Amino acid sequence: MTEMQPALDHNARVHVTSVIDRRVVAPSVISLGFRAPELARAARGGQYVMAVPPSGEAAAVALGIYEAHDDRISLLFFLTGKRTRELGALRPGDELSMFGPLGNGFELSKPPKRATIVAGGVGIASVLLAAEELLRAGSRVELLYGARSSAYLVDSTRFARLGCHVAVSTDDGSAGHHGFVTQLLEQREPPELLLACGPSPMLRAVAASAARMGVRAQLSLEETFACGVGGCWGCVVPLSAESAQAPSFPPSDRGGSDVVYARICKEGPVFWSDELRW
Amino acid sequence: MTEMQPALDHNARVHVTSVIDRRVVAPSVISLGFRAPELARAARGGQYVMAVPPSGEAAAVALGIYEAHDDRISLLFFLTGKRTRELGALRPGDELSMFGPLGNGFELSKPPKRATIVAGGVGIASVLLAAEELLRAGSRVELLYGARSSAYLVDSTRFARLGCHVAVSTDDGSAGHHGFVTQLLEQREPPELLLACGPSPMLRAVAASAARMGVRAQLSLEETFACGVGGCWGCVVPLSAESAQAPSFPPSDRGGSDVVYARICKEGPVFWSDELRW
Amino acid sequence: MTAVATPDLSVRLGNLELPYPTLMGSGCYGSGDEFASFADLHKIGAVVLKSVTREPRLGNPTPRLVHVAAGMLNAIGLQNPGIDWYLEHDVPKFAGRPCVLIGSVAGFSIDDYAYVCERLAARDEIAAIEVNISCPNVASEGETFACDPRLTAKVVRAARSTTDKTLIVKLSPNVTDIAGIAREAEAAGADALAVVNTVRGMAIDVETWRPRLGNVTGGLSGPAIRPIAVLAVYEVARAVKIPIVGQGGIETVSDALEFLLAGASAIGIGTANFTDPRVPERIVAGLSDYLQRRGLSTIAELTGKANVGRLSAAQIEGDAG
Amino acid sequence: MTAVATPDLSVRLGNLELPYPTLMGSGCYGSGDEFASFADLHKIGAVVLKSVTREPRLGNPTPRLVHVAAGMLNAIGLQNPGIDWYLEHDVPKFAGRPCVLIGSVAGFSIDDYAYVCERLAARDEIAAIEVNISCPNVASEGETFACDPRLTAKVVRAARSTTDKTLIVKLSPNVTDIAGIAREAEAAGADALAVVNTVRGMAIDVETWRPRLGNVTGGLSGPAIRPIAVLAVYEVARAVKIPIVGQGGIETVSDALEFLLAGASAIGIGTANFTDPRVPERIVAGLSDYLQRRGLSTIAELTGKANVGRLSAAQIEGDAG
Ligand SMILES: Cc1cc2nc3c(=O)[nH]c(=O)nc-3n(C[C@H](O)[C@H](O)[C@H](O)COP(=O)(O)OP(=O)(O)OC[C@H]3O[C@@H](n4cnc5c(N)ncnc54)[C@H](O)[C@@H]3O)c2cc1C
Ligand SMILES: Cc1cc2nc3c(=O)[nH]c(=O)nc-3n(C[C@H](O)[C@H](O)[C@H](O)COP(=O)(O)OP(=O)(O)OC[C@H]3O[C@@H](n4cnc5c(N)ncnc54)[C@H](O)[C@@H]3O)c2cc1C
Ligand SMILES: Cc1cc2nc3c(=O)[nH]c(=O)nc-3n(C[C@H](O)[C@H](O)[C@H](O)COP(=O)(O)O)c2cc1C
Ligand SMILES: Cc1cc2nc3c(=O)[nH]c(=O)nc-3n(C[C@H](O)[C@H](O)[C@H](O)COP(=O)(O)O)c2cc1C
Ligand code: FES
Ligand code: FES
């Protein structure tokens, strides 16, 4: 059974970066670009960083690595609460520390002919690098991208320019298919490779579709994080004990359970749809 | 015995203002100007406002009313901690709520021939209005102004332009007298009217000098505030029970004490030097 | 999302009817008129007045306040003129106030409480009594009444015997088993419980090496204690039938809703008044909007509705990290 | 301001000598190498490992974490593979780590503690043992050991009998009288005390009406609890002679100094590692600078030096607002 792309821990470290550009890409959605050469080199599709709020007054925030080119990386985030609001207040020239890259990215070692990527909402932030890697390897990549409404469709044209086949859906029908992005997936042929990132209801739907199609999806999960590096066991998800990603645990005695809690930050954030026991 | 200038409570209310100018007047000392017509009209020398931190995450901050002309008032403050840093981050156009004016200002009902004002550090923020009022009434006003070093002498030229006789002192001798501002006071003739605002060691020294000179000083005190309106009894200072500013309390039975704790925010912030029992 | 007629925000504590479920915390709202220029007192459920004792008290040495992360420490020391002076000079001024006034009684012996409670409750200006039992009992080397079930029962029984007006007993969070104390207070005749008072804490100035409070230790209030207070309300609500006034770090309507869902029938607002005097009015407006949005018509429909699913097992797994 | 030779930051807990006074809180620093790429482990006093139990534990249902004002609530539920697996598969990996490792023992019966403590302490990779007594005792309907002086004494005596290595007993703040519990632990043979563990709390999602933790209740940590923890250290230090590892919301050198002045000999850092993994190194550097600036040469010169002046009288005036 294939492993997820391993976190290259020897590449992960604290990076003191500075903001080089800031865009408001959608209502209360911010994109920040940083000068971070090492990070740009090390980042793999599906990995994330822990960004340290400048005030030092709140926990670090897990954010997917959106872009990584030359010596620049960027983050794309929703202003959901105290910490992302603090990050959203940063301006070009401001300093920001972040540590990473962290987590096991998508498993892309065998580029297929046809790959499908499903992204919902801010999930788009975690799939760009994977799309680029697949395109470079010659795969035909289709992006199924769902959002609340057209205003929240971030950079979809950019994926098209890269060479992705893009189909969008919106909850309010203001653009593309009126409904869930997973309905678009249902209309497709079973892809050889299926990646997804977005809110957990969407991921559960993707898992269900994948099962019906008889394929395994790679799902990038989210949970409230504390340490982000596997040190606190706070970010877990129930996983089949048979999974290669299951944390070491006495196989014999699990109180009769064949399920273990795996750390999304360490064993994940990407898991195989058929191994999750949520 | 004269009362301090009464707080015109019917004038005090919540004002939703907006920043119209911002100056960095000294290292980590900020001056913010606001459009606040009613406040500008109502403010009296020595009064203050409670500024509501925009984040809503910290207690309101007591700040003296520095300037009050036409429909503009200004605040002058040191970046000492979380809350003043938050206020210091405000920019023209930003909104700020504040309530006031609060407190009993300086007693200026009988303008003297010669008045002396002693200001230390940020104490300067609470004496400008009083100086203006005295000058308008024809008094000769001398300002004795002490600061850490020349860089921290804020707007002293402005007092001169108004017509005050200004003498400065600095702890490091970088400007004016090398030493304490109270040493300047010692060299003077006993003034008919003596006002002071600054750090409490300075105020204690002024009280001592005043006693030696046989005059009563009006001291504007500072303490950590919570409510700022007399509701919590947190900001008190020991005061002679005989003082007209002493809060109502059984005269007979005070556990034998002739001292009561008066609220700096309500009975003060200005007190007579000879009535304090600190 | 059924829209309904303007929701009814009134609450009942014993025989006391309040137009709104918001009580201003004792010691935070003075004698009830200090905030009059900055807050609409007509939009307030009630003001719990500063605690009064039998004898006058000068209160604690200064400093009495220090701001800390997400809250503050206070050690006022119950400065007050004593019940005689209070009844003669202060209480008369309370007549005709725009909102309900609840007297707060503190003491250092059972007898103190009974004496002050009886005299205060006798006055028409005072609608109800809150018994602040978080005071040290001088008789038993300073152990606070609220930390001992027996002492709690005695104080409450003594106070109860002096009046038929609503008796609210204010509990301390500084105990191993707050639910046990709550049961004693209910059994002894309390009409309602205020949960919770401040959490004991301390701060030290690292330059002067002196405590930052003249009293050395103080009471922690504000958002920092909210999760502690929400749990206290939740545990007390499962132990008693009388209504609870939940308090501890309430700043927003969402905070208020947490306490109601945990089991409170009304909420107390203290420290948030120091952040912005408009908070109580905002919370009342927000509660009304929330009820409408959810198609509910009374506060009671929220009280204790937190859906906890499995519990005792969970409690065994416990909070041990 | 006498400048002195680089100050000595080492501390002694029982027979355990540490190069720095900074211990990473159990459960916050995993097995001691998760942060290796982000923090210099050579600049850390010791890592207290995640608590281990006799049997494997799956841990609590999710969510296990929620961020609250100035801190967080956690309810992990002691997820761990059990002592057998731990000794066979995990402990061997601890050999040759750059910093001292302290094992943490948890249990649900006296026997659990003794069994796990003995087997863990027998291993060379483990320099000392911390006993996490903040677990519910299944025998006495889930009351936590740390909340009962008798149970505390029993657990500590049992653990003590199994090893000569330094035994640190970790106390809970969720008690009426922490000093009393501390005395019991000292009398029963503890070499040091960790003060304090998390404060019990709860948060509710006001849209779903569900608790925000799968376990319903959890433990509050971070700056929100700092004043509570500083007071706990202060009270325990006045009750016992053994050294204290002060913890609860330490983020800066100034926070660390507060705990030392209150009576701690060393400090624990947990939640702050989640804000910035560089915090422990910064605190060590800051302590060194502070000692130099004040002309001091050892940490011990700070321990318990808070100058409180008058006290018992002040305590009587109390924290009653
Ligand atoms: C691996 C990983 C990658 C991620 N990548 C991204 C990314 O690329 N972009 C992005 O935008 N996000 C991303 N996230 C999500 C992001 O880390 C979280 O949203 C984070 O919590 C934001 O922090 P905050 O302080 O701004 O919001 P928080 O205050 O932590 O709030 C987070 C959520 O909880 C809710 N909440 C907060 N307080 C309460 C309350 N009292 N009651 C009920 N609900 C409450 C908020 O409404 C919000 O929806 C990622 C998460 C993970 C685990
Ligand atoms: C009537 C009145 C008028 C005032 N007018 C002015 C004015 O015009 N301009 C002005 O600048 N200020 C003024 N002040 C003072 C101002 O209100 C206070 O400095 C206020 O506390 C600043 O809030 P802050 O959150 O920024 O700082 P805080 O965080 O409250 O800190 C205030 C002071 O306490 C110290 N402190 C904070 N935390 C700690 C700690 N953990 N240990 C030790 N010390 C600590 C800080 O170093 C700082 O010196 C006035 C005060 C009063 C009472
Ligand atoms: C400055 C101050 C003074 C207080 N005085 C009293 C008091 O005299 N009697 C009392 O029962 N509670 C007193 N309290 C406690 C509050 O009424 C309230 O119960 C507590 O602060 C928690 O709520 P909060 O976080 O909203 O402030 C006081 C609190 C503060 C902050
Ligand atoms: C996520 C998390 C898990 C924890 N797990 C444990 C544990 O297993 N055993 C233990 O004794 N303490 C545990 N603690 C408590 C910490 O070790 C520490 O004592 C407490 O959090 C207070 O310190 P802090 O505010 O610096 O985090 C845990 C704390 C957190 C935040
Ligand atoms: S967030 Fe700590 S283990 Fe994942
Ligand atoms: S600050 Fe509340 S009485 Fe002065």
Side-chain angles (χ1 to χ4, degrees):
Chain A
M1 215 222 62
T2 42
E3 277 270 11
M4 291 294 161
Q5 205 161 28
L8 305 171
D9 267 350
H10 55 278
N11 278 333
R13 58 173 204 76
V14 178
H15 304 270
V16 180
T17 69
S18 61
V19 178
I20 50 184
D21 54 72
R22 175 182 189 278
R23 292 187 301 144
V24 180
V25 293
S28 66
V29 182
I30 307 290
S31 154
L32 291 179
F34 301 89
R35 215 193 97 66
E38 287 183 60
L39 203 46
R41 260 194 305 285
R44 318 276 288 268
Q47 291 190 295
Y48 63 95
V49 295
M50 295 294 285
V52 178
S55 69
E57 280 171 5
V61 190
L63 295 174
I65 299 169
Y66 181 48
E67 303 165 293
H69 297 125
D70 310 330
D71 61 2
R72 173 180 180 277
I73 68 125
S74 75
L75 307 174
L76 182 73
F77 54 93
F78 270 76
L79 303 177
T80 41
K82 181 177 166 49
R83 295 171 297 164
T84 44
R85 275 201 305 275
E86 198 182 324
L87 296 178
L90 292 172
R91 294 289 182 271
D94 291 347
E95 195 179 81
L96 181 72
S97 292
M98 54 184 78
F99 51 106
L102 295 164
N104 300 306
F106 294 105
E107 206 305 275
L108 307 172
S109 57
K110 303 182 206 54
K113 271 201 204 50
R114 289 184 50 260
T116 299
I117 300 177
V118 183
V122 75
I124 197 73
S126 301
V127 299
L128 181 62
L129 293 183
E132 290 175 338
E133 190 169 337
L134 287 167
L135 289 165
R136 272 197 304 276
S139 302
R140 177 188 189 283
V141 179
E142 178 169 51
L143 172 71
L144 307 181
Y145 181 17
R148 245 174 288 169
S149 74
S150 58
Y152 288 89
L153 287 166
V154 175
D155 275 4
S156 57
T157 56
R158 167 205 205 114
F159 281 81
R161 283 199 310 280
L162 282 173
C164 294
H165 302 257
V166 181
V168 304
S169 74
T170 52
D171 302 353
D172 63 3
S174 53
H177 168 71
H178 185 174
F180 295 130
V181 64
T182 44
Q183 294 165 336
L184 292 175
L185 177 61
E186 289 283 336
Q187 303 159 3
R188 302 298 193 271
E189 288 297 301
E192 296 163 59
L193 183 75
L194 179 55
L195 315 179
C197 184
S200 82
M202 181 199 96
L203 294 179
R204 288 168 192 275
V206 169
S209 307
R212 276 192 295 277
M213 294 176 166
V215 301
R216 313 173 72 205
Q218 296 183 33
L219 309 180
S220 179
L221 270 50
E222 261 192 33
E223 195 25 291
T224 302
F225 276 14
C227 70
V229 298
C232 75
W233 293 88
C235 63
V236 299
V237 62
L239 190 70
S240 161
E242 310 310 328
S243 167
Q245 290 173 270
S248 73
F249 211 76
S252 55
D253 168 7
R254 268 178 218 113
S257 158
D258 65 346
V259 171
V260 295
Y261 285 110
R263 296 164 295 186
I264 291 175
C265 71
K266 189 75 171 181
E267 281 79 44
V270 180
F271 293 93
W272 293 105
S273 56
D274 58 343
E275 295 183 344
L276 290 167
R277 294 291 179 270
W278 50 354
Chain B
M1 215 224 60
T2 42
E3 277 268 13
M4 291 296 162
Q5 205 161 337
L8 306 170
D9 267 350
H10 55 278
N11 278 333
R13 57 174 204 77
V14 178
H15 304 270
V16 180
T17 69
S18 61
V19 178
I20 49 183
D21 54 71
R22 175 182 189 275
R23 293 187 302 144
V24 180
V25 293
S28 67
V29 182
I30 308 290
S31 154
L32 291 179
F34 302 89
R35 214 193 96 67
E38 288 185 58
L39 204 45
R41 261 194 306 284
R44 317 277 288 267
Q47 290 190 296
Y48 63 95
V49 294
M50 295 294 285
V52 178
S55 68
E57 280 171 6
V61 191
L63 296 174
I65 300 169
Y66 180 48
E67 303 166 293
H69 297 125
D70 311 329
D71 60 3
R72 173 181 179 277
I73 67 126
S74 75
L75 306 174
L76 182 73
F77 54 91
F78 269 76
L79 303 177
T80 40
K82 180 177 166 49
R83 296 171 297 164
T84 45
R85 276 200 305 274
E86 197 182 325
L87 295 177
L90 291 172
R91 294 290 182 272
D94 291 347
E95 195 179 80
L96 182 73
S97 292
M98 54 184 79
F99 52 106
L102 295 164
N104 300 306
F106 293 105
E107 205 306 274
L108 306 173
S109 58
K110 305 184 204 51
K113 274 203 201 48
R114 290 184 50 262
T116 299
I117 300 177
V118 183
V122 75
I124 197 73
S126 301
V127 298
L128 180 63
L129 293 183
E132 290 175 338
E133 191 169 336
L134 287 168
L135 289 166
R136 271 198 304 277
S139 301
R140 177 189 188 284
V141 179
E142 178 167 53
L143 172 71
L144 307 180
Y145 180 19
R148 244 174 287 168
S149 74
S150 57
Y152 289 89
L153 287 167
V154 176
D155 275 4
S156 56
T157 57
R158 172 213 198 105
F159 281 80
R161 283 199 311 279
L162 282 173
C164 293
H165 301 256
V166 180
V168 304
S169 73
T170 52
D171 301 353
D172 63 3
S174 53
H177 168 71
H178 185 172
F180 295 129
V181 65
T182 44
Q183 293 164 337
L184 291 176
L185 176 62
E186 289 283 331
Q187 303 159 4
R188 302 296 192 272
E189 287 298 302
E192 297 164 57
L193 183 74
L194 179 55
L195 315 179
C197 185
S200 82
M202 181 199 95
L203 295 179
R204 288 168 191 273
V206 169
S209 307
R212 275 192 296 276
M213 294 175 167
V215 301
R216 312 174 71 207
Q218 297 182 34
L219 309 180
S220 178
L221 270 50
E222 260 192 36
E223 193 29 290
T224 302
F225 275 14
C227 72
V229 298
C232 74
W233 293 89
C235 63
V236 299
V237 62
L239 191 70
S240 160
E242 311 310 329
S243 166
Q245 290 172 270
S248 72
F249 211 75
S252 55
D253 170 5
R254 282 182 202 106
S257 160
D258 65 345
V259 171
V260 294
Y261 285 110
R263 296 164 296 186
I264 291 174
C265 71
K266 189 75 171 181
E267 281 79 44
V270 180
F271 294 92
W272 293 105
S273 56
D274 60 343
E275 295 182 346
L276 289 167
R277 294 291 178 270
W278 49 354
Chain C
M1 205 163 100
T2 355
V4 297
T6 335
D8 171 13
L9 297 185
S10 70
V11 295
R12 192 176 188 75
L13 304 172
N15 53 30
L16 177 69
E17 183 85 38
L18 299 177
Y20 301 105
T22 47
L23 285 74
M24 303 302 104
S26 175
C28 301
Y29 225 69
S31 61
D33 66 351
E34 288 82 353
F35 280 97
S37 309
F38 316 109
D40 181 353
L41 300 181
H42 299 85
K43 291 276 178 59
I44 278 173
V47 172
V48 183
L49 301 161
K50 175 69 181 172
S51 298
V52 190
T53 55
R54 184 174 201 149
E55 302 301 330
R57 289 172 57 81
L58 292 169
N60 286 332
T62 62
R64 292 177 172 184
L65 302 171
V66 43
H67 296 286
V68 295
M72 59 183 288
L73 286 166
N74 89 84
I76 309 300
L78 296 172
Q79 174 166 356
N80 80 91
I83 188 65
D84 295 341
W85 176 277
Y86 188 70
L87 292 173
E88 187 184 341
H89 297 85
D90 296 338
V91 175
K93 301 188 197 126
F94 299 161
R97 287 287 178 77
C99 62
V100 173
L101 298 181
I102 298 174
S104 173
V105 174
F108 301 87
S109 71
I110 307 288
D111 192 50
D112 278 359
Y113 279 102
Y115 178 81
V116 177
C117 187
E118 174 160 30
R119 298 196 53 197
L120 194 54
R123 298 293 294 261
D124 296 342
E125 299 90 340
I126 303 297
I129 299 289
E130 180 170 277
V131 187
N132 171 11
I133 58 173
S134 309
C135 304
N137 170 10
V138 281
S140 61
E141 63 284 331
E143 181 190 22
T144 63
F145 289 89
C147 292
D148 178 325
R150 289 169 303 92
L151 287 174
T152 299
K154 280 192 192 157
V155 171
V156 176
R157 237 181 277 109
R160 172 79 289 170
S161 68
T162 67
T163 179
D164 295 335
K165 287 186 177 173
T166 289
L167 203 68
I168 304 170
V169 176
K170 188 165 189 177
L171 305 183
S172 163
N174 307 302
V175 296
T176 308
D177 173 28
I178 194 169
I181 306 274
R183 277 190 216 92
E184 293 293 336
E186 179 182 42
D191 297 308
L193 300 173
V195 180
V196 290
N197 209 320
T198 53
V199 180
R200 296 184 65 236
M202 177 179 187
I204 299 169
D205 187 311
V206 300
E207 290 308 322
T208 64
W209 294 13
R210 302 266 319 159
R212 300 187 66 207
L213 289 172
N215 184 59
V216 180
T217 68
L220 181 62
S221 64
I225 69 170
R226 192 188 309 131
I228 301 169
V230 168
L231 176 56
V233 167
Y234 172 75
E235 291 186 330
V236 169
R238 293 160 59 86
V240 303
K241 297 200 169 25
I242 51 178
I244 295 166
V245 182
Q247 59 202 287
I250 296 177
E251 278 188 334
T252 66
V253 62
S254 153
D255 302 338
L257 288 164
E258 266 194 275
F259 280 83
L260 296 171
L261 291 166
S265 299
I267 57 128
I269 304 171
T271 302
N273 290 296
F274 310 152
T275 300
D276 190 334
R278 295 166 296 187
V279 163
E281 190 171 349
R282 281 195 197 128
I283 288 178
V284 162
L287 286 174
S288 184
D289 295 347
Y290 183 87
L291 289 175
Q292 284 208 340
R293 179 160 66 80
R294 304 285 293 229
L296 304 171
S297 48
T298 68
I299 290 290
E301 292 167 70
L302 293 170
T303 298
K305 290 303 192 305
N307 168 7
V308 300
R310 63 189 267 276
L311 192 72
S312 48
Q315 292 292 25
I316 293 295
E317 303 249 338
D319 314 323
Chain D
M1 204 164 103
T2 355
V4 297
T6 336
D8 171 13
L9 297 185
S10 70
V11 295
R12 193 177 187 74
L13 303 174
N15 53 32
L16 177 69
E17 183 85 38
L18 299 177
Y20 302 104
T22 47
L23 286 74
M24 302 303 104
S26 175
C28 301
Y29 224 69
S31 61
D33 65 351
E34 288 82 353
F35 279 97
S37 310
F38 316 109
D40 180 353
L41 301 182
H42 298 87
K43 292 274 177 59
I44 278 173
V47 171
V48 183
L49 301 160
K50 175 70 181 169
S51 298
V52 190
T53 55
R54 184 174 201 149
E55 301 301 329
R57 289 173 57 81
L58 293 169
N60 285 333
T62 62
R64 292 178 173 184
L65 302 172
V66 43
H67 296 287
V68 296
M72 59 183 288
L73 285 167
N74 89 83
I76 309 300
L78 296 173
Q79 174 166 358
N80 80 92
I83 188 64
D84 295 340
W85 176 276
Y86 188 71
L87 293 173
E88 187 184 343
H89 297 85
D90 296 338
V91 175
K93 301 189 198 125
F94 299 161
R97 286 287 179 77
C99 63
V100 173
L101 298 181
I102 298 174
S104 173
V105 174
F108 301 87
S109 71
I110 307 289
D111 192 50
D112 279 0
Y113 279 101
Y115 179 80
V116 177
C117 186
E118 173 161 31
R119 297 195 54 197
L120 193 54
R123 297 293 294 261
D124 296 341
E125 299 90 341
I126 303 298
I129 298 288
E130 181 171 276
V131 187
N132 171 10
I133 59 174
S134 308
C135 304
N137 169 10
V138 283
S140 60
E141 63 281 333
E143 180 191 23
T144 62
F145 289 89
C147 292
D148 178 325
R150 290 167 306 92
L151 287 175
T152 300
K154 280 191 192 160
V155 171
V156 177
R157 236 180 278 108
R160 172 79 289 170
S161 69
T162 67
T163 178
D164 295 334
K165 287 185 177 172
T166 289
L167 203 67
I168 305 169
V169 176
K170 188 166 188 176
L171 305 183
S172 164
N174 307 301
V175 297
T176 308
D177 173 28
I178 194 168
I181 306 273
R183 278 191 215 92
E184 291 294 336
E186 178 182 42
D191 297 309
L193 299 173
V195 181
V196 292
N197 209 318
T198 53
V199 180
R200 295 185 64 237
M202 176 179 188
I204 299 169
D205 187 311
V206 300
E207 289 307 321
T208 64
W209 293 13
R210 302 267 318 160
R212 300 186 67 207
L213 289 172
N215 184 57
V216 180
T217 68
L220 182 63
S221 64
I225 69 169
R226 193 188 308 132
I228 301 170
V230 169
L231 176 56
V233 166
Y234 172 74
E235 292 185 331
V236 169
R238 294 159 57 88
V240 303
K241 297 197 169 30
I242 51 178
I244 295 167
V245 182
Q247 59 201 286
I250 295 177
E251 279 187 333
T252 66
V253 63
S254 152
D255 302 338
L257 288 164
E258 267 195 274
F259 281 84
L260 296 171
L261 292 167
S265 298
I267 57 127
I269 304 171
T271 303
N273 290 295
F274 310 152
T275 300
D276 190 334
R278 294 166 297 187
V279 163
E281 191 171 347
R282 282 197 196 124
I283 288 179
V284 161
L287 286 174
S288 184
D289 294 347
Y290 182 87
L291 289 176
Q292 283 207 343
R293 179 160 66 81
R294 303 286 292 227
L296 304 172
S297 49
T298 67
I299 290 290
E301 292 168 72
L302 293 171
T303 298
K305 291 303 193 303
N307 168 8
V308 300
R310 64 190 268 276
L311 192 71
S312 49
Q315 293 291 27
I316 293 295
E317 304 248 338
D319 315 324

